[in-house]
């Protein structure tokens, strides 16, 4: 034990040394006059504690280092090597666990949260990226705190028992219990310092912010391409392998579309058979875990085209119940082209109806149901009508007169302020017809 170490551990020894040096030579303590010695004492002025604890921490770290050096100086060299090796391996294992388990798991959870927070309403697609980026800072802060909390919990629960168990196996049998306890404390402190140093350098706010910004931009781009796939998870509960596979339902709809529109073959369909296909589609979407994004996109397209084909060529089978069930399906799986249900292609398709009055009546009920459910915003319907009006000025578009009557009846049934534009559009359509 060196004099310097004694002075650092017991600072008051220095004060005793100063008093002894001021002792008058040749006189005993009882012969000194208090009045004479009083002037030799140094006054101690109380001072406020410094606000910056860095110097204090540095002194504590230096003192700790000197104490450990003194401990190892009185022990075999193999003991120091054992403690250093143990500290290095335990710190490496904990850092590896944080890097490969904790951080990726937290990143995956945040990415799923970003996907679930994507809005499903089509007109909100332009603001998806801005909405996701606004959440990045909050998510990064929460992730950083969670990783630090998990790391602290891991160090508190497993580090000391692991050190004790390993040292019992590695140290010599004649090592004293006090030495083992000291080695355990040194190893725990060293591992903690190394782990927190690595966490501070690599698991930072900057890291999570950079990662989450990239993920938010990627999720936003994917949402614009496949909104229905990204915004909601259709599968619920347990996978039902005995149910109808999605490929079979898609093939059924495709074959019926081909027979009605291309082959012009009458199909023996009934309202019950149509409702059965819709019900099977709902069940398939919620019970089949093997549903791929491509299959979901197929359902989005085929369900709308299939219903429109039936509405035109077999309107007697498309009852109000069929329309309501299909709208219910679309609340879960919204076709992106639903906002353009009134377009020149569909108006041309309606010219093939064997019963135009009934087909337009079913279309009218469909539009009313879509607007009431929120799947077809009134502003989107207005844009479609204005587009048709502009196209009709350049080329002949069939069924514009019937469209005017249909829109008038839809506005009357809905009786909403956001449908006041119908009167202006119908008036322009009538003026155009009169000019012809």
């Amino acid at each position: 034990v060196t004099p310097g170490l004694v002075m650092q551990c017991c600072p008051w020894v220095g004060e005793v040394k100063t008093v002894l040096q001021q002792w008058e030579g040749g006189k005993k303590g009882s012969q000194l006059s208090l009045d004479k010695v009083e002037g030799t004492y140094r006054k101690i002025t109380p001072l406020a504690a410094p606000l910056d604890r860095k110097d204090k921490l540095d002194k504590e770290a230096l003192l700790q280092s000197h104490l450990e050096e003194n401990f190892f100086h009185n022990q075999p060299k193999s003991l120091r090597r054992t403690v250093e090796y143990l500290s290095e391996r335990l710190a490496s294992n904990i850092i590896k666990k944080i890097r490969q388990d904790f951080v990726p798991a937290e990143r995956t959870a945040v990415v799923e949260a970003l996907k679930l927070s994507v809005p499903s309403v089509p007109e909100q697609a332009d603001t998806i990226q801005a909405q996701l980026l606004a959440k990045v800072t909050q998510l990064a802060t929460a992730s950083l705190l969670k990783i630090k909390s998990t790391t602290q919990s891991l160090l508190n629960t497993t580090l000391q028992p692991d050190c004790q168990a390993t040292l019992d196996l590695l140290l010599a049998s004649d090592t004293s219990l006090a030495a083992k306890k000291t080695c355990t404390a040194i190893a725990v402190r060293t591992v903690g310092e190394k782990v927190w140093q690595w966490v501070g350098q690599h698991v930072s706010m900057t890291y999570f912010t950079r990662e989450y910004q990239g993920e938010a931009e990627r999720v936003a781009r994917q949402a614009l391409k496949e909104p229905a796939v990204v915004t909601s998870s259709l599968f619920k509960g347990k996978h039902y392998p005995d149910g109808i596979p999605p490929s079979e339902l898609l093939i059924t709809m495709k074959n019926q579309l081909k027979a009605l529109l291309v082959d012009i073959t009458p199909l023996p369909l009934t309202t019950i058979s149509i409702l059965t296909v819709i019900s099977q589609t709902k069940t398939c979407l919620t019970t089949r875990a093997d549903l791929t994004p491509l299959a979901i996109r197929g359902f989005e397209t085929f369900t709308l085209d299939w219903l429109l084909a039936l509405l035109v060529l077999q309107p007697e089978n498309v009852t109000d119940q069929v329309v309501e069930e299909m709208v219910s399906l679309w609340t879960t799986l919204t076709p992106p082209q639903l906002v353009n249900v009134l377009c020149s292609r569909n108006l041309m398709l309606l010219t093939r109806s064997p019963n135009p009055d009934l087909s337009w009546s079913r279309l009218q009920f469909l539009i009313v149901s879509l607007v009431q459910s929120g799947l077809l915003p009134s502003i989107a319907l207005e844009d479609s009508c204005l587009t048709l009006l502009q196209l009709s000025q350049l080329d002949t578009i069939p069924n514009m007169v019937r469209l005017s009557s249909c829109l008038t009846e839809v506005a009357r049934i809905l009786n909403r302020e956001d449908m006041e534009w119908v009167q202006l559009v119908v008036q322009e359509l009538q003026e155009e017809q009169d000019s012809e």
Side-chain angles (χ1 to χ4, degrees), residues 249-432:
L249 289 172
L250 290 172
I251 292 173
T252 299
M253 294 182 187
K254 184 192 71 172
N255 291 337
Q256 291 180 2
L257 274 171
K258 182 175 179 293
L260 291 172
L261 299 178
V262 180
D263 300 336
I264 314 180
T265 303
L267 295 177
L269 298 177
T270 62
T271 302
I272 299 299
S273 63
I274 296 174
L275 289 173
T276 301
V277 174
I278 297 175
S279 176
Q280 291 174 344
T281 303
K282 288 182 178 180
T283 304
C284 176
L285 291 174
T286 55
T287 61
R288 297 287 298 195
D290 55 351
L291 198 64
T292 63
L294 184 61
I296 294 178
R297 292 297 300 269
F299 276 120
E300 291 175 359
T301 302
F302 277 121
T303 51
L304 179 57
D305 293 342
W306 179 64
L307 181 64
L308 289 175
L310 293 175
L311 185 144
V312 171
L313 299 173
Q314 294 190 5
E316 64 279 359
N317 293 326
V318 184
T319 61
D320 293 352
Q321 184 181 2
V322 171
V323 174
E324 291 172 355
E325 289 296 323
M326 186 60 78
V327 171
S328 174
L329 171 64
W330 287 338
T331 56
T332 304
L333 185 73
T334 306
Q337 63 271 31
L338 196 61
V339 293
N340 297 320
V341 66
L342 287 182
C343 61
S344 57
R345 188 204 73 162
N346 293 339
L347 292 184
M348 183 65 71
L349 180 63
L350 285 165
T351 60
R352 301 177 57 178
S353 174
N355 190 347
D357 293 336
L358 185 57
S359 294
W360 277 95
S361 175
R362 296 292 182 247
L363 179 62
Q364 171 189 308
F365 183 76
L366 174 63
I367 294 175
V368 171
S369 300
L370 291 175
V371 174
Q372 289 178 338
S373 63
L375 296 175
L376 179 60
S378 60
I379 188 172
L381 185 61
E382 180 183 1
D383 290 340
S384 299
C385 294
L386 292 176
T387 301
L388 287 173
L389 187 60
Q390 293 175 357
L391 292 176
S392 64
Q393 297 174 357
L394 303 175
D395 195 3
T396 302
I397 296 180
N399 288 321
M400 295 298 288
V401 176
R402 287 186 178 274
L403 177 62
S404 301
S405 303
C406 178
L407 291 175
T408 303
E409 191 64 20
V410 169
R412 185 190 65 81
I413 295 174
L414 293 174
N415 192 20
R416 291 165 35 162
E417 294 182 357
D418 56 358
M419 296 295 292
E420 294 179 352
W421 55 268
V422 172
Q423 184 178 358
L424 299 176
V425 172
V426 170
Q427 183 178 355
E428 292 186 13
L429 289 173
Q430 290 177 351
E431 292 177 355
E432 183 179 349

Side-chain angles (χ1 to χ4, degrees), residues 34 66 142 203 226 290 340:
L34 291 178
H66 286 171
V203 186
E226 298 185 5
D290 55 351
N340 297 320

Side-chain angles (χ1 to χ4, degrees), residues 14-32:
E15 298 293 334
V16 175
K17 182 179 179 181
T18 302
V19 173
L20 292 177
Q21 289 176 347
Q22 294 175 352
W23 198 274
E24 292 186 7
K27 292 185 179 181
K28 297 182 180 179
S30 58
Q31 296 175 344
L32 292 176

Side-chain angles (χ1 to χ4, degrees), residues 71-72 75-84 171 175 179 183:
F71 169 75
F72 286 126
Q75 300 293 334
K77 293 182 178 180
S78 60
L79 187 137
R80 174 194 281 267
R81 292 196 298 267
T82 301
V83 173
E84 291 178 350
L171 294 181
T175 304
C183 291

